[in-house]
mmCIF file with all atom_site columns, all heavy atoms in Angstrom:
data_model
loop_
_atom_site.group_PDB
_atom_site.id
_atom_site.type_symbol
_atom_site.label_atom_id
_atom_site.label_alt_id
_atom_site.label_comp_id
_atom_site.label_asym_id
_atom_site.label_entity_id
_atom_site.label_seq_id
_atom_site.pdbx_PDB_ins_code
_atom_site.Cartn_x
_atom_site.Cartn_y
_atom_site.Cartn_z
_atom_site.occupancy
_atom_site.B_iso_or_equiv
_atom_site.pdbx_formal_charge
_atom_site.auth_seq_id
_atom_site.auth_comp_id
_atom_site.auth_asym_id
_atom_site.auth_atom_id
_atom_site.pdbx_PDB_model_num
ATOM 1   N N   . LYS A 1 440 ? 20.039 -19.537 4.863  1.00 93.00 ? 682 LYS A N   1
ATOM 2   C CA  . LYS A 1 440 ? 20.074 -20.817 5.593  1.00 93.00 ? 682 LYS A CA  1
ATOM 3   C C   . LYS A 1 440 ? 20.512 -20.551 7.031  1.00 93.00 ? 682 LYS A C   1
ATOM 4   O O   . LYS A 1 440 ? 21.268 -19.600 7.287  1.00 93.00 ? 682 LYS A O   1
ATOM 5   C CB  . LYS A 1 440 ? 21.021 -21.807 4.944  1.00 93.00 ? 682 LYS A CB  1
ATOM 6   C CG  . LYS A 1 440 ? 20.563 -22.280 3.564  1.00 93.00 ? 682 LYS A CG  1
ATOM 7   C CD  . LYS A 1 440 ? 21.382 -23.418 3.035  1.00 93.00 ? 682 LYS A CD  1
ATOM 8   C CE  . LYS A 1 440 ? 20.934 -23.805 1.618  1.00 93.00 ? 682 LYS A CE  1
ATOM 9   N NZ  . LYS A 1 440 ? 19.553 -24.289 1.541  1.00 93.00 ? 682 LYS A NZ  1
ATOM 10  N N   . HIS A 1 441 ? 20.003 -21.350 7.936  1.00 90.00 ? 683 HIS A N   1
ATOM 11  C CA  . HIS A 1 441 ? 20.605 -21.339 9.276  1.00 90.00 ? 683 HIS A CA  1
ATOM 12  C C   . HIS A 1 441 ? 20.791 -22.786 9.734  1.00 90.00 ? 683 HIS A C   1
ATOM 13  O O   . HIS A 1 441 ? 20.054 -23.673 9.349  1.00 90.00 ? 683 HIS A O   1
ATOM 14  C CB  . HIS A 1 441 ? 19.781 -20.509 10.269 1.00 90.00 ? 683 HIS A CB  1
ATOM 15  C CG  . HIS A 1 441 ? 18.440 -21.046 10.638 1.00 90.00 ? 683 HIS A CG  1
ATOM 16  N ND1 . HIS A 1 441 ? 18.262 -22.164 11.440 1.00 90.00 ? 683 HIS A ND1 1
ATOM 17  C CD2 . HIS A 1 441 ? 17.195 -20.597 10.326 1.00 90.00 ? 683 HIS A CD2 1
ATOM 18  C CE1 . HIS A 1 441 ? 16.965 -22.366 11.607 1.00 90.00 ? 683 HIS A CE1 1
ATOM 19  N NE2 . HIS A 1 441 ? 16.305 -21.450 10.934 1.00 90.00 ? 683 HIS A NE2 1
ATOM 20  N N   . GLY A 1 442 ? 21.812 -22.971 10.517 1.00 86.00 ? 684 GLY A N   1
ATOM 21  C CA  . GLY A 1 442 ? 22.132 -24.298 10.997 1.00 86.00 ? 684 GLY A CA  1
ATOM 22  C C   . GLY A 1 442 ? 23.503 -24.290 11.641 1.00 86.00 ? 684 GLY A C   1
ATOM 23  O O   . GLY A 1 442 ? 24.195 -23.263 11.665 1.00 86.00 ? 684 GLY A O   1
ATOM 24  N N   . ARG A 1 443 ? 23.908 -25.434 12.152 1.00 86.00 ? 685 ARG A N   1
ATOM 25  C CA  . ARG A 1 443 ? 25.238 -25.574 12.758 1.00 86.00 ? 685 ARG A CA  1
ATOM 26  C C   . ARG A 1 443 ? 26.226 -26.072 11.713 1.00 86.00 ? 685 ARG A C   1
ATOM 27  O O   . ARG A 1 443 ? 25.839 -26.728 10.768 1.00 86.00 ? 685 ARG A O   1
ATOM 28  C CB  . ARG A 1 443 ? 25.180 -26.541 13.933 1.00 86.00 ? 685 ARG A CB  1
ATOM 29  C CG  . ARG A 1 443 ? 24.339 -26.036 15.107 1.00 86.00 ? 685 ARG A CG  1
ATOM 30  C CD  . ARG A 1 443 ? 24.127 -27.094 16.145 1.00 86.00 ? 685 ARG A CD  1
ATOM 31  N NE  . ARG A 1 443 ? 23.375 -28.235 15.614 1.00 86.00 ? 685 ARG A NE  1
ATOM 32  C CZ  . ARG A 1 443 ? 22.992 -29.263 16.339 1.00 86.00 ? 685 ARG A CZ  1
ATOM 33  N NH1 . ARG A 1 443 ? 23.322 -29.333 17.613 1.00 86.00 ? 685 ARG A NH1 1
ATOM 34  N NH2 . ARG A 1 443 ? 22.309 -30.246 15.803 1.00 86.00 ? 685 ARG A NH2 1
ATOM 35  N N   . ASN A 1 444 ? 27.469 -25.702 11.895 1.00 85.00 ? 686 ASN A N   1
ATOM 36  C CA  . ASN A 1 444 ? 28.552 -26.229 11.038 1.00 85.00 ? 686 ASN A CA  1
ATOM 37  C C   . ASN A 1 444 ? 28.318 -25.944 9.555  1.00 85.00 ? 686 ASN A C   1
ATOM 38  O O   . ASN A 1 444 ? 28.576 -26.802 8.699  1.00 85.00 ? 686 ASN A O   1
ATOM 39  C CB  . ASN A 1 444 ? 28.727 -27.741 11.254 1.00 85.00 ? 686 ASN A CB  1
ATOM 40  C CG  . ASN A 1 444 ? 28.847 -28.104 12.726 1.00 85.00 ? 686 ASN A CG  1
ATOM 41  O OD1 . ASN A 1 444 ? 29.552 -27.440 13.455 1.00 85.00 ? 686 ASN A OD1 1
ATOM 42  N ND2 . ASN A 1 444 ? 28.125 -29.149 13.133 1.00 85.00 ? 686 ASN A ND2 1
ATOM 43  N N   . LEU A 1 445 ? 27.796 -24.771 9.230  1.00 90.00 ? 687 LEU A N   1
ATOM 44  C CA  . LEU A 1 445 ? 27.604 -24.412 7.822  1.00 90.00 ? 687 LEU A CA  1
ATOM 45  C C   . LEU A 1 445 ? 28.974 -24.178 7.185  1.00 90.00 ? 687 LEU A C   1
ATOM 46  O O   . LEU A 1 445 ? 29.850 -23.516 7.762  1.00 90.00 ? 687 LEU A O   1
ATOM 47  C CB  . LEU A 1 445 ? 26.778 -23.137 7.696  1.00 90.00 ? 687 LEU A CB  1
ATOM 48  C CG  . LEU A 1 445 ? 25.285 -23.228 8.046  1.00 90.00 ? 687 LEU A CG  1
ATOM 49  C CD1 . LEU A 1 445 ? 24.637 -21.871 7.940  1.00 90.00 ? 687 LEU A CD1 1
ATOM 50  C CD2 . LEU A 1 445 ? 24.583 -24.220 7.126  1.00 90.00 ? 687 LEU A CD2 1
ATOM 51  N N   . ASN A 1 446 ? 29.132 -24.716 5.984  1.00 92.00 ? 688 ASN A N   1
ATOM 52  C CA  . ASN A 1 446 ? 30.370 -24.541 5.241  1.00 92.00 ? 688 ASN A CA  1
ATOM 53  C C   . ASN A 1 446 ? 30.057 -23.839 3.936  1.00 92.00 ? 688 ASN A C   1
ATOM 54  O O   . ASN A 1 446 ? 29.261 -24.336 3.136  1.00 92.00 ? 688 ASN A O   1
ATOM 55  C CB  . ASN A 1 446 ? 31.001 -25.931 4.980  1.00 92.00 ? 688 ASN A CB  1
ATOM 56  C CG  . ASN A 1 446 ? 32.470 -25.817 4.719  1.00 92.00 ? 688 ASN A CG  1
ATOM 57  O OD1 . ASN A 1 446 ? 32.888 -24.982 3.938  1.00 92.00 ? 688 ASN A OD1 1
ATOM 58  N ND2 . ASN A 1 446 ? 33.254 -26.665 5.369  1.00 92.00 ? 688 ASN A ND2 1
ATOM 59  N N   . TYR A 1 447 ? 30.673 -22.679 3.714  1.00 94.00 ? 689 TYR A N   1
ATOM 60  C CA  . TYR A 1 447 ? 30.303 -21.854 2.544  1.00 94.00 ? 689 TYR A CA  1
ATOM 61  C C   . TYR A 1 447 ? 31.493 -20.979 2.159  1.00 94.00 ? 689 TYR A C   1
ATOM 62  O O   . TYR A 1 447 ? 32.458 -20.847 2.926  1.00 94.00 ? 689 TYR A O   1
ATOM 63  C CB  . TYR A 1 447 ? 29.095 -20.968 2.870  1.00 94.00 ? 689 TYR A CB  1
ATOM 64  C CG  . TYR A 1 447 ? 29.269 -20.191 4.167  1.00 94.00 ? 689 TYR A CG  1
ATOM 65  C CD1 . TYR A 1 447 ? 29.934 -18.967 4.194  1.00 94.00 ? 689 TYR A CD1 1
ATOM 66  C CD2 . TYR A 1 447 ? 28.829 -20.729 5.373  1.00 94.00 ? 689 TYR A CD2 1
ATOM 67  C CE1 . TYR A 1 447 ? 30.116 -18.283 5.375  1.00 94.00 ? 689 TYR A CE1 1
ATOM 68  C CE2 . TYR A 1 447 ? 29.015 -20.048 6.574  1.00 94.00 ? 689 TYR A CE2 1
ATOM 69  C CZ  . TYR A 1 447 ? 29.665 -18.814 6.565  1.00 94.00 ? 689 TYR A CZ  1
ATOM 70  O OH  . TYR A 1 447 ? 29.866 -18.143 7.740  1.00 94.00 ? 689 TYR A OH  1
ATOM 71  N N   . GLU A 1 448 ? 31.417 -20.397 1.015  1.00 95.00 ? 690 GLU A N   1
ATOM 72  C CA  . GLU A 1 448 ? 32.433 -19.446 0.569  1.00 95.00 ? 690 GLU A CA  1
ATOM 73  C C   . GLU A 1 448 ? 32.050 -18.071 1.132  1.00 95.00 ? 690 GLU A C   1
ATOM 74  O O   . GLU A 1 448 ? 31.012 -17.516 0.769  1.00 95.00 ? 690 GLU A O   1
ATOM 75  C CB  . GLU A 1 448 ? 32.447 -19.414 -0.976 1.00 95.00 ? 690 GLU A CB  1
ATOM 76  C CG  . GLU A 1 448 ? 33.534 -18.524 -1.565 1.00 95.00 ? 690 GLU A CG  1
ATOM 77  C CD  . GLU A 1 448 ? 34.938 -18.975 -1.234 1.00 95.00 ? 690 GLU A CD  1
ATOM 78  O OE1 . GLU A 1 448 ? 35.255 -20.173 -1.450 1.00 95.00 ? 690 GLU A OE1 1
ATOM 79  O OE2 . GLU A 1 448 ? 35.697 -18.129 -0.729 1.00 95.00 ? 690 GLU A OE2 1
ATOM 80  N N   . PRO A 1 449 ? 32.835 -17.476 2.031  1.00 95.00 ? 691 PRO A N   1
ATOM 81  C CA  . PRO A 1 449 ? 32.440 -16.243 2.704  1.00 95.00 ? 691 PRO A CA  1
ATOM 82  C C   . PRO A 1 449 ? 32.048 -15.106 1.757  1.00 95.00 ? 691 PRO A C   1
ATOM 83  O O   . PRO A 1 449 ? 31.143 -14.327 2.077  1.00 95.00 ? 691 PRO A O   1
ATOM 84  C CB  . PRO A 1 449 ? 33.688 -15.872 3.530  1.00 95.00 ? 691 PRO A CB  1
ATOM 85  C CG  . PRO A 1 449 ? 34.372 -17.176 3.782  1.00 95.00 ? 691 PRO A CG  1
ATOM 86  C CD  . PRO A 1 449 ? 34.124 -18.003 2.553  1.00 95.00 ? 691 PRO A CD  1
ATOM 87  N N   . ARG A 1 450 ? 32.696 -15.009 0.592  1.00 95.00 ? 692 ARG A N   1
ATOM 88  C CA  . ARG A 1 450 ? 32.382 -13.889 -0.304 1.00 95.00 ? 692 ARG A CA  1
ATOM 89  C C   . ARG A 1 450 ? 31.003 -14.017 -0.930 1.00 95.00 ? 692 ARG A C   1
ATOM 90  O O   . ARG A 1 450 ? 30.475 -13.048 -1.491 1.00 95.00 ? 692 ARG A O   1
ATOM 91  C CB  . ARG A 1 450 ? 33.446 -13.759 -1.373 1.00 95.00 ? 692 ARG A CB  1
ATOM 92  C CG  . ARG A 1 450 ? 33.497 -14.908 -2.369 1.00 95.00 ? 692 ARG A CG  1
ATOM 93  C CD  . ARG A 1 450 ? 34.313 -14.556 -3.608 1.00 95.00 ? 692 ARG A CD  1
ATOM 94  N NE  . ARG A 1 450 ? 34.323 -15.679 -4.536 1.00 95.00 ? 692 ARG A NE  1
ATOM 95  C CZ  . ARG A 1 450 ? 35.342 -16.524 -4.664 1.00 95.00 ? 692 ARG A CZ  1
ATOM 96  N NH1 . ARG A 1 450 ? 36.407 -16.408 -3.905 1.00 95.00 ? 692 ARG A NH1 1
ATOM 97  N NH2 . ARG A 1 450 ? 35.270 -17.529 -5.523 1.00 95.00 ? 692 ARG A NH2 1
ATOM 98  N N   . ASP A 1 451 ? 30.375 -15.225 -0.872 1.00 95.00 ? 693 ASP A N   1
ATOM 99  C CA  . ASP A 1 451 ? 29.077 -15.439 -1.510 1.00 95.00 ? 693 ASP A CA  1
ATOM 100 C C   . ASP A 1 451 ? 27.893 -14.998 -0.655 1.00 95.00 ? 693 ASP A C   1
ATOM 101 O O   . ASP A 1 451 ? 26.772 -14.924 -1.154 1.00 95.00 ? 693 ASP A O   1
ATOM 102 C CB  . ASP A 1 451 ? 28.881 -16.935 -1.840 1.00 95.00 ? 693 ASP A CB  1
ATOM 103 C CG  . ASP A 1 451 ? 29.886 -17.428 -2.874 1.00 95.00 ? 693 ASP A CG  1
ATOM 104 O OD1 . ASP A 1 451 ? 30.423 -16.586 -3.616 1.00 95.00 ? 693 ASP A OD1 1
ATOM 105 O OD2 . ASP A 1 451 ? 30.141 -18.648 -2.898 1.00 95.00 ? 693 ASP A OD2 1
ATOM 106 N N   . VAL A 1 452 ? 28.127 -14.745 0.628  1.00 97.00 ? 694 VAL A N   1
ATOM 107 C CA  . VAL A 1 452 ? 26.987 -14.551 1.548  1.00 97.00 ? 694 VAL A CA  1
ATOM 108 C C   . VAL A 1 452 ? 27.292 -13.452 2.567  1.00 97.00 ? 694 VAL A C   1
ATOM 109 O O   . VAL A 1 452 ? 28.453 -13.084 2.791  1.00 97.00 ? 694 VAL A O   1
ATOM 110 C CB  . VAL A 1 452 ? 26.637 -15.856 2.306  1.00 97.00 ? 694 VAL A CB  1
ATOM 111 C CG1 . VAL A 1 452 ? 26.225 -16.960 1.360  1.00 97.00 ? 694 VAL A CG1 1
ATOM 112 C CG2 . VAL A 1 452 ? 27.809 -16.301 3.189  1.00 97.00 ? 694 VAL A CG2 1
ATOM 113 N N   . LEU A 1 453 ? 26.223 -12.969 3.204  1.00 97.00 ? 695 LEU A N   1
ATOM 114 C CA  . LEU A 1 453 ? 26.327 -12.191 4.429  1.00 97.00 ? 695 LEU A CA  1
ATOM 115 C C   . LEU A 1 453 ? 26.079 -13.183 5.568  1.00 97.00 ? 695 LEU A C   1
ATOM 116 O O   . LEU A 1 453 ? 25.022 -13.834 5.612  1.00 97.00 ? 695 LEU A O   1
ATOM 117 C CB  . LEU A 1 453 ? 25.286 -11.072 4.451  1.00 97.00 ? 695 LEU A CB  1
ATOM 118 C CG  . LEU A 1 453 ? 25.067 -10.352 5.791  1.00 97.00 ? 695 LEU A CG  1
ATOM 119 C CD1 . LEU A 1 453 ? 26.350 -9.727  6.322  1.00 97.00 ? 695 LEU A CD1 1
ATOM 120 C CD2 . LEU A 1 453 ? 23.975 -9.301  5.632  1.00 97.00 ? 695 LEU A CD2 1
ATOM 121 N N   . ALA A 1 454 ? 27.045 -13.304 6.482  1.00 97.00 ? 696 ALA A N   1
ATOM 122 C CA  . ALA A 1 454 ? 26.945 -14.316 7.544  1.00 97.00 ? 696 ALA A CA  1
ATOM 123 C C   . ALA A 1 454 ? 26.869 -13.658 8.905  1.00 97.00 ? 696 ALA A C   1
ATOM 124 O O   . ALA A 1 454 ? 27.545 -12.667 9.178  1.00 97.00 ? 696 ALA A O   1
ATOM 125 C CB  . ALA A 1 454 ? 28.151 -15.255 7.482  1.00 97.00 ? 696 ALA A CB  1
ATOM 126 N N   . PHE A 1 455 ? 26.008 -14.207 9.757  1.00 96.00 ? 697 PHE A N   1
ATOM 127 C CA  . PHE A 1 455 ? 25.949 -13.818 11.172 1.00 96.00 ? 697 PHE A CA  1
ATOM 128 C C   . PHE A 1 455 ? 26.171 -15.090 11.996 1.00 96.00 ? 697 PHE A C   1
ATOM 129 O O   . PHE A 1 455 ? 25.284 -15.927 12.080 1.00 96.00 ? 697 PHE A O   1
ATOM 130 C CB  . PHE A 1 455 ? 24.586 -13.194 11.513 1.00 96.00 ? 697 PHE A CB  1
ATOM 131 C CG  . PHE A 1 455 ? 24.397 -11.802 10.957 1.00 96.00 ? 697 PHE A CG  1
ATOM 132 C CD1 . PHE A 1 455 ? 23.729 -11.614 9.764  1.00 96.00 ? 697 PHE A CD1 1
ATOM 133 C CD2 . PHE A 1 455 ? 24.908 -10.698 11.634 1.00 96.00 ? 697 PHE A CD2 1
ATOM 134 C CE1 . PHE A 1 455 ? 23.553 -10.339 9.240  1.00 96.00 ? 697 PHE A CE1 1
ATOM 135 C CE2 . PHE A 1 455 ? 24.728 -9.420  11.135 1.00 96.00 ? 697 PHE A CE2 1
ATOM 136 C CZ  . PHE A 1 455 ? 24.064 -9.230  9.926  1.00 96.00 ? 697 PHE A CZ  1
ATOM 137 N N   . ARG A 1 456 ? 27.375 -15.192 12.565 1.00 94.00 ? 698 ARG A N   1
ATOM 138 C CA  . ARG A 1 456 ? 27.674 -16.373 13.391 1.00 94.00 ? 698 ARG A CA  1
ATOM 139 C C   . ARG A 1 456 ? 26.827 -16.337 14.665 1.00 94.00 ? 698 ARG A C   1
ATOM 140 O O   . ARG A 1 456 ? 26.472 -17.370 15.188 1.00 94.00 ? 698 ARG A O   1
ATOM 141 C CB  . ARG A 1 456 ? 29.147 -16.426 13.713 1.00 94.00 ? 698 ARG A CB  1
ATOM 142 C CG  . ARG A 1 456 ? 30.009 -16.644 12.478 1.00 94.00 ? 698 ARG A CG  1
ATOM 143 C CD  . ARG A 1 456 ? 31.369 -17.249 12.827 1.00 94.00 ? 698 ARG A CD  1
ATOM 144 N NE  . ARG A 1 456 ? 32.112 -17.594 11.615 1.00 94.00 ? 698 ARG A NE  1
ATOM 145 C CZ  . ARG A 1 456 ? 31.963 -18.725 10.960 1.00 94.00 ? 698 ARG A CZ  1
ATOM 146 N NH1 . ARG A 1 456 ? 31.076 -19.623 11.352 1.00 94.00 ? 698 ARG A NH1 1
ATOM 147 N NH2 . ARG A 1 456 ? 32.682 -18.963 9.860  1.00 94.00 ? 698 ARG A NH2 1
ATOM 148 N N   . ASP A 1 457 ? 26.540 -15.109 15.142 1.00 95.00 ? 699 ASP A N   1
ATOM 149 C CA  . ASP A 1 457 ? 25.615 -14.948 16.262 1.00 95.00 ? 699 ASP A CA  1
ATOM 150 C C   . ASP A 1 457 ? 24.334 -14.304 15.718 1.00 95.00 ? 699 ASP A C   1
ATOM 151 O O   . ASP A 1 457 ? 24.314 -13.101 15.432 1.00 95.00 ? 699 ASP A O   1
ATOM 152 C CB  . ASP A 1 457 ? 26.225 -14.058 17.335 1.00 95.00 ? 699 ASP A CB  1
ATOM 153 C CG  . ASP A 1 457 ? 25.307 -13.906 18.557 1.00 95.00 ? 699 ASP A CG  1
ATOM 154 O OD1 . ASP A 1 457 ? 24.146 -14.389 18.499 1.00 95.00 ? 699 ASP A OD1 1
ATOM 155 O OD2 . ASP A 1 457 ? 25.736 -13.283 19.530 1.00 95.00 ? 699 ASP A OD2 1
ATOM 156 N N   . PRO A 1 458 ? 23.255 -15.077 15.566 1.00 96.00 ? 700 PRO A N   1
ATOM 157 C CA  . PRO A 1 458 ? 22.014 -14.541 14.970 1.00 96.00 ? 700 PRO A CA  1
ATOM 158 C C   . PRO A 1 458 ? 21.483 -13.323 15.712 1.00 96.00 ? 700 PRO A C   1
ATOM 159 O O   . PRO A 1 458 ? 20.809 -12.478 15.119 1.00 96.00 ? 700 PRO A O   1
ATOM 160 C CB  . PRO A 1 458 ? 21.044 -15.718 15.046 1.00 96.00 ? 700 PRO A CB  1
ATOM 161 C CG  . PRO A 1 458 ? 21.911 -16.937 15.087 1.00 96.00 ? 700 PRO A CG  1
ATOM 162 C CD  . PRO A 1 458 ? 23.118 -16.513 15.854 1.00 96.00 ? 700 PRO A CD  1
ATOM 163 N N   . ARG A 1 459 ? 21.777 -13.209 17.010 1.00 96.00 ? 701 ARG A N   1
ATOM 164 C CA  . ARG A 1 459 ? 21.263 -12.090 17.796 1.00 96.00 ? 701 ARG A CA  1
ATOM 165 C C   . ARG A 1 459 ? 21.749 -10.756 17.256 1.00 96.00 ? 701 ARG A C   1
ATOM 166 O O   . ARG A 1 459 ? 21.074 -9.738  17.396 1.00 96.00 ? 701 ARG A O   1
ATOM 167 C CB  . ARG A 1 459 ? 21.648 -12.262 19.265 1.00 96.00 ? 701 ARG A CB  1
ATOM 168 C CG  . ARG A 1 459 ? 20.927 -13.423 19.952 1.00 96.00 ? 701 ARG A CG  1
ATOM 169 C CD  . ARG A 1 459 ? 21.489 -13.728 21.316 1.00 96.00 ? 701 ARG A CD  1
ATOM 170 N NE  . ARG A 1 459 ? 22.864 -14.225 21.219 1.00 96.00 ? 701 ARG A NE  1
ATOM 171 C CZ  . ARG A 1 459 ? 23.545 -14.766 22.208 1.00 96.00 ? 701 ARG A CZ  1
ATOM 172 N NH1 . ARG A 1 459 ? 22.968 -14.879 23.412 1.00 96.00 ? 701 ARG A NH1 1
ATOM 173 N NH2 . ARG A 1 459 ? 24.786 -15.193 22.066 1.00 96.00 ? 701 ARG A NH2 1
ATOM 174 N N   . GLU A 1 460 ? 22.903 -10.745 16.605 1.00 96.00 ? 702 GLU A N   1
ATOM 175 C CA  . GLU A 1 460 ? 23.417 -9.503  15.999 1.00 96.00 ? 702 GLU A CA  1
ATOM 176 C C   . GLU A 1 460 ? 22.503 -9.004  14.892 1.00 96.00 ? 702 GLU A C   1
ATOM 177 O O   . GLU A 1 460 ? 22.478 -7.822  14.576 1.00 96.00 ? 702 GLU A O   1
ATOM 178 C CB  . GLU A 1 460 ? 24.821 -9.722  15.434 1.00 96.00 ? 702 GLU A CB  1
ATOM 179 C CG  . GLU A 1 460 ? 25.888 -9.890  16.476 1.00 96.00 ? 702 GLU A CG  1
ATOM 180 C CD  . GLU A 1 460 ? 27.240 -10.137 15.836 1.00 96.00 ? 702 GLU A CD  1
ATOM 181 O OE1 . GLU A 1 460 ? 27.381 -9.895  14.601 1.00 96.00 ? 702 GLU A OE1 1
ATOM 182 O OE2 . GLU A 1 460 ? 28.169 -10.559 16.544 1.00 96.00 ? 702 GLU A OE2 1
ATOM 183 N N   . ALA A 1 461 ? 21.746 -9.934  14.272 1.00 97.00 ? 703 ALA A N   1
ATOM 184 C CA  . ALA A 1 461 ? 20.813 -9.583  13.197 1.00 97.00 ? 703 ALA A CA  1
ATOM 185 C C   . ALA A 1 461 ? 19.382 -9.475  13.711 1.00 97.00 ? 703 ALA A C   1
ATOM 186 O O   . ALA A 1 461 ? 18.436 -9.433  12.922 1.00 97.00 ? 703 ALA A O   1
ATOM 187 C CB  . ALA A 1 461 ? 20.897 -10.611 12.080 1.00 97.00 ? 703 ALA A CB  1
#
Side-chain angles (χ1 to χ4, degrees):
K682 293 190 183 297
H683 69 71
R685 293 171 297 184
N686 310 316
L687 290 177
N688 202 313
Y689 50 86
E690 184 63 51
R692 67 165 180 259
D693 295 338
V694 298
L695 167 58
F697 287 96
R698 294 203 174 275
D699 182 354
R701 291 170 294 191
E702 289 179 14

